[in-house]
Amino acid sequence: MRRFRSNNPVHLPGNESEAAAPARPTAALLGATLALAFLCGRLPAEEPKEPRPPNIIFILADDLGWAELGCYGNKFNETPHLDRMARQGLHFTEAYAAAPVCSPYRASFLTGQFPARHGILDYLRPNTANPLSIDHVTLAEMLKKNGYATGMIGKWHLSGYRYHGAAKEIRATDHGFDEELASEVKGVGNGANFWPYVFRTQPIRWLNIRENLLGKNEYLVDRMNHEAVRFIERNRERPFFLYLSHYATHSILNGKPAIVDKYRRKHPPGKSVRKRCYLCQDAGKQGDPGNHWAPDHNPHLAAMLESIDDGVGMILAKLKELKLDKNTLVVFSSDNGGESQVTSNSPLRGGKSSLYEGGIRVPLVVHWPGTVPAGKTCSTPTSNVDFYPTFLAAAGITPDPEQKLDGISILAQLKKPANELRKAPLFWHYPLAKPHFLGGHSGGAIRQGPWKLIEWFDTGKVELFNIEEDRGEANNLFAQRKKTSEQLLSQLRSWRKELGAKTTTAKE
């Protein structure tokens, strides 16, 4: 059983010897001292209170591409609250996911480790026997150990599920969270985003939500936003860590009808890439008349994102109402790039499941009034493995030496975005038994300075790009920049060897 080391000495009463015990003043002497102090107009000074550690809220969208927010230049989607959050804070232009799919990202967020180290290399199947190990000292455990209330709302996806026959099911509450709300109890991604959260004819709800709070048309994103505000209210008197993990905008996309219609009127959706749509069949129609699979100007993606954005506005408003806004670090990001069947990541190349920029570059917006300067942009590369040490640094907590961290604290960079902190390279390791159904291939990558090198395991091909000059990765410079290519390829292979990471993986 893993044990935590306490950073603070524990005082046990009754251990002092009588000789060592200090003399206690008598009641008469104490009264005389207070009377004298009163007559002199002075009372003993109160000990100054230690400042309360900052609250931390991490809001994660699912499959939201780098260019989907207004503050990143999108003209179709409407994200006024996230755009305001960026104006009042900081947004990164070169933030990365540690993997191009969801489960490895989530494991990296909670462990501060690259997937090659924690071992979750691809999205977990519903019956997997390899959940995130409880041997890890997670971010939630560290914060909880140091007095934080910890809550997780939404998508977990770091375990198999008993419903699907998994040998063991490890929940968020097994990894340091006090509360786990609106989390899945079976496979996700089926588009059942309205109460009672039952997909097609299956009799079981896919979420651990047992009561309706928002009426017969309760929408999942709205419910999660509602639960987030309730969590903040419940824990206003103590520092808290809230992980709000949305299922949106993962396909099958399914937004609220009125908002979907608004976006249809705003711009005609692109032609669907699918001829078969389960949600449409359930409604008695064939094909995709609801535009769930439109690859551009998708009204469902825009509607789901608007609902997420509404929740960001609710959270920021609640923090201000409770006078917690200046002592709360709020971070918004996505777990990987957008799915190319329902959106475009242009000008970036590729999408979800790919090691090209469209699969791993994500939005990152940070808000902390009075600590993070307003209206700033940062172009220094960062990865989601950096959140673990950064959040601990913000809370004044020393990491547990038993948890090996690959990330670095970027707290100083949040406070002064012009600081160039990252000198060490970023790594990706994504071995696949066969190509991903969205088109991604088995490979590994390294990013250092302006250079990014990708080694494709299935073909042996190596590509080198200057990301600062060619963010669309159109020009492979491997042949022209041999010295740089050899150096980066050697680093990438040495890193894999050090971690014992294999370039092939068995089909799960």
Side-chain angles (χ1 to χ4, degrees):
M1 178 178 175
R2 188 180 68 224
R3 296 180 182 274
F4 291 119
R5 295 186 180 92
S6 174
N7 294 327
N8 301 312
V10 178
H11 173 75
L12 297 177
N15 287 345
E16 306 93 340
S17 67
E18 290 185 7
R24 293 190 174 96
T26 65
L29 178 59
L30 182 59
T33 302
L34 291 173
L36 181 60
F38 179 78
L39 291 173
C40 296
R42 298 169 60 186
L43 286 172
E46 292 185 4
E47 290 188 12
K49 293 182 179 179
E50 291 187 8
R52 170 174 159 172
N55 309 305
I56 300 169
I57 299 177
F58 184 69
I59 306 171
L60 187 66
D62 196 349
D63 294 358
L64 184 70
W66 174 77
E68 302 288 5
L69 306 183
C71 55
Y72 283 84
N74 196 288
K75 302 299 183 184
F76 178 64
N77 301 329
E78 297 176 16
T79 54
H81 299 294
L82 281 162
D83 298 343
R84 175 168 56 89
M85 183 173 158
R87 289 195 303 272
Q88 295 175 349
L90 167 69
H91 73 281
F92 284 75
T93 58
E94 297 190 32
Y96 287 99
V101 290
C102 56
S103 296
Y105 177 103
R106 294 160 197 276
S108 291
F109 168 63
L110 289 175
T111 65
Q113 298 178 347
F114 288 122
R117 190 181 300 277
H118 61 62
I120 296 181
L121 303 173
D122 197 7
Y123 71 93
L124 294 183
R125 277 55 170 182
N127 64 344
T128 183
N130 299 299
L132 180 64
S133 172
I134 59 173
D135 289 339
H136 287 289
V137 184
T138 66
L139 173 61
E141 287 176 303
M142 286 298 296
L143 291 169
K144 179 177 179 177
K145 167 189 166 185
N146 285 273
Y148 275 71
T150 55
M152 191 270 171
I153 300 173
K155 185 174 179 179
W156 177 237
H157 206 173
L158 287 174
S159 176
Y161 312 102
R162 292 190 185 92
Y163 177 86
H164 294 281
K168 53 184 174 181
E169 183 171 341
I170 303 297
R171 306 299 312 186
T173 48
D174 298 312
H175 278 292
F177 288 97
D178 298 317
E179 300 182 43
E180 181 182 8
L181 304 166
S183 293
E184 74 277 4
V185 296
K186 61 189 294 291
V188 300
N190 55 33
N193 295 313
F194 293 87
W195 176 266
Y197 310 114
V198 173
F199 180 57
R200 307 196 73 180
T201 58
Q202 297 180 19
I204 185 173
R205 295 191 184 111
W206 64 276
L207 295 165
N208 61 359
I209 295 178
R210 294 181 174 83
E211 60 177 340
N212 181 302
L213 294 183
L214 304 179
K216 66 176 183 178
N217 294 320
E218 177 179 288
Y219 185 57
L220 180 55
V221 178
D222 293 344
R223 175 63 181 269
M224 291 170 61
N225 292 335
H226 181 72
E227 295 289 0
V229 170
R230 294 174 80 193
F231 176 86
I232 293 169
E233 290 175 332
R234 284 196 302 273
N235 295 284
R236 68 177 79 179
E237 301 299 332
R238 60 183 294 197
F240 59 80
F241 168 51
L242 172 60
Y243 174 26
L244 175 56
S245 175
H246 284 289
Y247 300 92
T249 57
H250 191 293
S251 64
I252 302 171
L253 302 177
N254 196 13
K256 292 194 288 187
I259 306 179
V260 171
D261 287 342
K262 181 186 81 169
Y263 285 102
R264 282 202 192 98
R265 293 191 300 270
K266 186 173 183 178
H267 192 288
K271 185 177 179 181
S272 175
V273 297
R274 287 196 176 190
K275 294 182 179 180
R276 184 181 182 189
C277 171
Y278 293 124
L279 294 176
C280 303
Q281 289 176 343
D282 288 348
K285 300 177 181 179
Q286 298 297 317
D288 184 24
N291 313 118
H292 299 279
W293 296 99
D296 64 89
H297 295 94
N298 191 303
H300 287 276
L301 190 152
M304 296 180 91
L305 178 55
E306 182 171 321
S307 294
I308 292 174
D309 185 75
D310 287 343
V312 171
M314 290 167 57
I315 288 169
L316 295 179
K318 179 56 65 175
L319 292 173
K320 190 167 186 179
E321 174 193 327
L322 298 177
K323 296 182 172 54
L324 296 175
D325 52 323
K326 293 184 179 179
N327 198 37
T328 303
L329 168 59
V330 183
V331 177
F332 175 88
S333 195
S334 173
D335 63 347
N336 48 249
E339 182 181 329
S340 56
Q341 291 186 337
V342 295
T343 191
S344 168
N345 295 297
S346 180
L348 305 182
R349 181 178 180 179
K352 177 182 177 179
S353 83
S354 170
L355 289 175
Y356 290 122
E357 293 289 285
I360 56 177
R361 196 186 293 200
V362 293
L364 174 58
V365 185
V366 181
H367 183 270
W368 192 0
T371 300
V372 171
K376 299 295 183 180
T377 302
C378 183
S379 59
T380 301
T382 184
S383 167
N384 71 294
V385 296
D386 296 335
F387 291 132
Y388 188 121
T390 301
F391 291 174
L392 292 190
I397 299 170
T398 302
D400 190 312
E402 291 186 6
Q403 182 68 14
K404 171 67 177 176
L405 298 181
D406 292 312
I408 63 171
S409 171
I410 60 170
L411 182 61
Q413 192 170 4
L414 297 182
K415 295 178 179 180
K416 294 183 179 180
N419 289 358
E420 295 288 333
L421 291 182
R422 183 172 292 282
K423 303 300 180 185
L426 294 173
F427 294 99
W428 290 265
H429 185 60
Y430 187 52
L432 297 174
K434 63 179 182 179
H436 190 280
F437 64 86
L438 290 175
H441 288 267
S442 183
I446 179 174
R447 166 83 195 262
Q448 187 163 38
W451 299 106
K452 177 183 171 188
L453 178 139
I454 306 176
E455 179 184 14
W456 300 106
F457 300 152
D458 48 1
T459 64
K461 182 179 180 180
V462 179
E463 296 180 289
L464 177 73
F465 303 102
N466 185 322
I467 297 300
E468 291 182 358
E469 297 178 359
D470 177 27
R471 64 182 179 181
E473 295 169 294
N475 302 308
N476 181 7
L477 302 176
F478 178 74
Q480 295 95 310
R481 304 293 298 239
K482 275 290 186 182
K483 185 176 180 180
T484 300
S485 298
E486 290 171 359
Q487 179 184 12
L488 290 175
L489 185 59
S490 176
Q491 280 183 271
L492 179 59
R493 289 175 172 175
S494 295
W495 173 76
R496 286 202 302 264
K497 184 177 180 180
E498 177 188 346
L499 269 61
K502 299 179 180 180
T503 57
T504 58
T505 184
K507 181 180 178 182
E508 188 173 2

